[in-house]
Amino acid sequence: MPRGPRGPIEKPKDRKKVLLRLWTYLYAHKWMSLGAVLLTVGSNLLALLGPMLSGRAIDAIGVEPGQADFPTIFLYCGLMVAFYAVSSLLSYILSILMIQLSQKIVYQMRQQVFNRLTELPVGYFDTHQTGDIVSRISYDIDTVNASLSNDLVQIAASVITVVGSFLMMVLISPVLVLVFAVTIPMSILFTRYMTRKVRPLFHMRSVRLGELNGFVEENITGQKTTKAYHQEETMISRFDEKNKAAVDSYYNADYYGGMTGPSVNFINNLSLAFVSIFGAILYLWGHLSIGDLSSFVLYSRRFSGPINEAANILSELQSACAAAERVFRLIDEEPEPADAPGAVEAVHVRGDVAMDHVHFGYDPDKTIIHDLSLHAPPGGLTAIVGPTGAGKTTLINLLMRFYDPQSGSITLDGTDIRQITRKSLRLSYAMVLQDTWLFTGTIFDNLAYGKKDAKLEDVQAAAKAARIHRYIMSLPQGYDTVLDESGMNISQGQKQLLTIARAMLLDAKMLILDEATSNVDTRTEIQIQAAMRELMKDKTCFVIAHRLSTIQNADNILVVRDGDIVEQGTHRQLMERGGFYASLYNSQFQ
């Protein structure tokens, strides 16, 4: 099995299942699909009458000079023009209809993918590259769109043309049709062989593109780090490897996919040569007229042409199936488990949180939280400190039920959080992370993100408490100032203050701060801590902090090391104990 950077590359699922699933999208718009079928049939049947009329017109010319029956010739030529004109008009209407139909299907697919993304657990995004996910919702769905709007119409037209041309050739000369008994099986066998060879290549192409997009997305977000460490050449070298892998996969897929069309075209040209030879013999023997021979040759071209076209679009269809498979695989990802039967809403929350003998590991075979117990009383400030990798952020993930422990229990006001609906549990918390997230929109919209009915006065009060109101008012549009994507037109510290103000605005009974003031200067941080203590009265607060000087007033400090709480108490108690916390605290001032 071919291997990629992340291990074996899976072969595509059954193509029939993918096509049948695509058919469900078409059936959802069955009237438009039916109209497309009728237009396709009508357009191609009218076009099929052309060669027959051409043969009649040729026979009306006659063999001897001066025997041409011009009224009959003009009649058949006029009918040809009329039929071809109507056929072209129907084809134009069909193309417009298929564009509309494919856009409706693509809209539905993108909506399903995005809806599924909102339902997936946080663990999915921890294990999948952002660039690969974006590739599925953009490139892969665009590939399916191109196939629906073009390939399906061509395949349907090809089937009608092949069947219609074959019947017309049988009516003209059953003997000449025997020529295709040799060439058509050759085309079919060769096409089937190439199909098996090309299918996994197009799947690999989609995978490589997703990996390339993921690398580019990571590199763009880390540009400052790359430049700070002068690793431009290193990243260029890694990009070249990813780019070469993507280009090679594109080349292999397109090379073998492009080989099919010319090869089948050569076989079909052999059939035309045989038809010309044997048709001339039948004409000399008086079994075929010049007009019938001309019509047969035209029908043979129409008969073999679609087969050649089908071979040409086969590579595109393979690409679309591989892309659709990746999209369906994302849509079929298991969503976050449903709430337990009988789960209750978290109402009138007091904020009494407790962990009892909790064991947890992101990988079930590798436990990182060992037999952890803690108690955070209502209205108290609980600080969580410890070295990097000790499990501080993991505790927050467990409290918010982004993950569930393998054993042990976590309770809120005495109720196991697994018996509380996730929505009400998470709405009970306001959370500010070290990695700030702002969206393109006004400052007011960003601050009121979690409270849609917030008034300007409420937003301003929160901004004042977070010490960001004065800066906002210094902007030309104040709270109506539009932030760029991810807030790129303001400083990192200002973004952090905005996210803190957003959390302050919520009516949550509990607050989580995960290194929330890491991008704020020390003086402002002290002011924010004081403001938060005032605003968070009677609310339970969890603070993860590396600056131990900022949590000296915490009601309880949990010292986490290797997944266990090794010490807990107030700042004074822990310093007097002279243990691990004291060594951490003193090391920051040495």
Side-chain angles (χ1 to χ4, degrees):
M1 178 180 290
R3 295 185 65 85
R6 295 197 301 267
I9 295 176
E10 298 179 356
K11 292 184 177 180
K13 296 178 182 178
D14 188 349
R15 184 179 59 178
K16 292 182 180 179
K17 292 182 180 179
V18 175
L19 293 176
L20 286 174
R21 188 158 180 178
L22 286 173
W23 164 249
T24 61
Y25 289 91
L26 291 170
Y27 185 76
H29 306 281
K30 51 183 175 294
W31 296 115
M32 293 184 70
S33 301
L34 178 61
V37 170
L38 294 177
L39 288 171
T40 303
V41 172
S43 174
N44 285 275
L45 288 181
L46 289 174
L48 283 172
L49 295 176
M52 181 190 68
L53 296 173
S54 174
R56 299 288 176 83
I58 291 175
D59 283 337
I61 295 175
V63 178
E64 299 296 331
Q67 293 183 352
D69 184 357
F70 285 104
T72 302
I73 295 173
F74 290 147
L75 173 63
Y76 287 129
C77 289
L79 289 174
M80 286 176 60
V81 172
F83 288 157
Y84 281 135
V86 176
S87 175
S88 298
L89 177 61
L90 294 180
S91 295
Y92 173 75
I93 298 174
L94 174 63
S95 64
I96 299 299
L97 182 63
M98 287 306 298
I99 290 174
Q100 295 178 349
L101 177 60
S102 64
Q103 288 300 313
K104 288 180 179 293
I105 293 174
V106 166
Y107 175 85
Q108 183 180 359
M109 291 183 71
R110 282 209 174 98
Q111 188 177 51
Q112 289 179 340
V113 170
F114 190 81
N115 290 346
R116 177 60 68 185
L117 290 176
T118 63
E119 298 170 353
L120 292 176
V122 172
Y124 179 85
F125 301 98
D126 291 340
T127 55
H128 290 77
Q129 284 186 318
T130 302
D132 183 61
I133 297 174
V134 173
S135 178
R136 298 191 193 198
I137 201 172
S138 57
Y139 168 78
D140 287 336
I141 292 183
D142 284 340
T143 302
V144 175
N145 175 36
S147 182
L148 288 175
S149 59
N150 297 318
D151 297 344
L152 288 183
V153 173
Q154 292 185 31
I155 292 175
S158 297
V159 171
I160 296 170
T161 301
V162 167
V163 174
S165 298
F166 179 78
L167 294 177
M168 296 302 291
M169 287 189 296
V170 170
L171 291 176
I172 294 173
S173 177
V175 177
L176 274 181
V177 175
L178 295 176
V179 170
F180 297 100
V182 177
T183 58
I184 295 303
M186 292 174 59
S187 298
I188 294 175
L189 291 175
F190 180 78
T191 302
R192 291 189 62 182
Y193 166 75
M194 292 303 297
T195 298
R196 294 192 184 98
K197 189 176 185 64
V198 168
R199 188 184 308 161
L201 296 179
F202 278 101
H203 176 76
M204 186 183 298
R205 187 177 80 169
S206 294
V207 171
R208 296 298 190 204
L209 181 65
E211 292 173 351
L212 179 63
N213 287 342
F215 177 81
V216 171
E217 187 269 339
E218 290 175 354
N219 191 49
I220 290 175
T221 56
Q223 272 297 309
K224 291 182 180 179
T225 304
T226 299
K227 292 183 181 298
Y229 285 89
H230 300 287
Q231 292 298 307
E232 291 88 349
E233 293 299 327
T234 301
M235 301 311 294
I236 290 174
S237 176
R238 293 179 183 176
F239 174 80
D240 288 342
E241 294 177 5
K242 298 281 187 182
N243 193 24
K244 186 178 186 303
V247 169
D248 288 345
S249 64
Y250 262 76
Y251 175 81
N252 291 333
D254 292 341
Y255 174 79
Y256 288 102
M259 182 188 299
T260 308
S263 301
V264 173
N265 192 34
F266 171 75
I267 298 174
N268 291 333
N269 286 333
L270 287 179
S271 66
L272 179 61
F274 292 148
V275 165
S276 300
I277 294 172
F278 292 113
I281 295 174
L282 291 176
Y283 168 73
L284 293 175
W285 289 353
H287 296 298
L288 203 65
S289 69
I290 289 292
D292 287 340
L293 178 58
S294 173
S295 297
F296 194 96
V297 170
L298 292 175
Y299 279 121
S300 70
R301 294 301 297 168
R302 289 183 174 272
F303 179 74
S304 60
I307 296 178
N308 184 39
E309 291 177 5
N312 286 330
I313 66 174
L314 182 62
S315 60
E316 298 178 9
L317 188 61
Q318 295 294 334
S319 179
C321 286
E325 178 198 9
R326 281 166 47 84
V327 174
F328 293 149
R329 189 177 298 169
L330 178 54
I331 293 176
D332 294 338
E333 285 288 344
E334 285 295 326
E336 198 167 38
D339 293 324
V344 298
E345 297 283 334
V347 294
H348 306 300
V349 175
R350 294 186 299 111
D352 191 330
V353 180
M355 287 186 173
D356 184 35
H357 300 290
V358 169
H359 293 76
F360 172 75
Y362 294 104
D363 182 348
D365 298 328
K366 186 178 179 181
T367 303
I368 60 176
I369 299 292
H370 316 90
D371 196 26
L372 187 147
S373 299
L374 66 86
H375 178 234
L381 172 57
T382 301
I384 305 171
V385 302
T388 301
K392 303 185 298 298
T393 301
T394 300
L395 293 179
I396 302 304
N397 288 335
L398 294 174
L399 290 175
M400 297 284 289
R401 277 203 76 190
F402 293 143
Y403 294 90
D404 284 327
Q406 272 82 47
S407 64
S409 65
I410 305 173
T411 60
L412 173 61
D413 295 342
T415 303
D416 193 311
I417 61 174
R418 284 172 289 199
Q419 300 301 319
I420 301 174
T421 61
R422 282 189 178 84
K423 180 179 179 180
S424 63
L425 173 68
R426 291 170 183 170
L427 287 176
S428 300
Y429 287 94
M431 185 165 64
V432 180
L433 303 177
Q434 180 179 6
D435 297 327
T436 58
W437 179 77
L438 299 171
F439 56 86
T440 301
T442 66
I443 291 178
F444 177 87
D445 292 337
N446 273 273
L447 295 184
Y449 180 70
K451 190 176 182 181
K452 298 302 182 183
D453 59 345
K455 297 179 181 179
L456 179 59
E457 298 78 29
D458 301 327
V459 172
Q460 289 177 339
K464 290 176 182 177
R467 308 301 195 267
I468 191 65
H469 173 73
R470 181 177 300 177
Y471 168 76
I472 296 174
M473 295 307 296
S474 69
L475 298 173
Q477 285 82 35
Y479 284 84
D480 292 326
T481 301
V482 177
L483 298 178
D484 293 341
E485 183 180 359
S486 300
M488 295 302 292
N489 55 342
I490 62 176
S491 71
Q492 185 68 26
Q494 290 160 349
K495 287 196 293 184
Q496 193 74 74
L497 291 172
L498 288 175
T499 58
I500 292 172
R502 179 168 60 194
M504 289 181 173
L505 191 62
L506 300 179
D507 293 329
K509 293 297 182 180
M510 294 175 289
L511 172 67
I512 292 175
L513 301 173
D514 187 356
E515 295 293 340
T517 57
S518 60
N519 297 306
V520 180
D521 63 86
T522 304
R523 182 177 180 180
T524 304
E525 184 174 29
I526 295 174
Q527 293 174 337
I528 290 175
Q529 291 290 344
M532 289 183 122
R533 289 290 291 169
E534 183 66 28
L535 287 172
M536 290 297 156
K537 282 182 178 178
D538 302 325
K539 296 183 181 180
T540 307
C541 304
F542 294 91
V543 178
I544 294 178
H546 281 161
R547 295 184 190 173
L548 303 187
S549 60
T550 63
I551 46 92
Q552 294 182 22
N553 296 324
D555 299 314
N556 191 25
I557 299 175
L558 306 177
V559 185
V560 183
R561 185 179 187 183
D562 297 328
D564 296 315
I565 296 179
V566 295
E567 293 178 337
Q568 60 178 309
T570 64
H571 172 74
R572 176 177 295 180
Q573 292 171 343
L574 293 174
M575 290 300 294
E576 291 175 352
R577 191 175 302 167
F580 185 62
Y581 174 83
S583 65
L584 284 177
Y585 184 86
N586 292 327
S587 67
Q588 295 190 3
F589 300 97
Q590 289 178 355

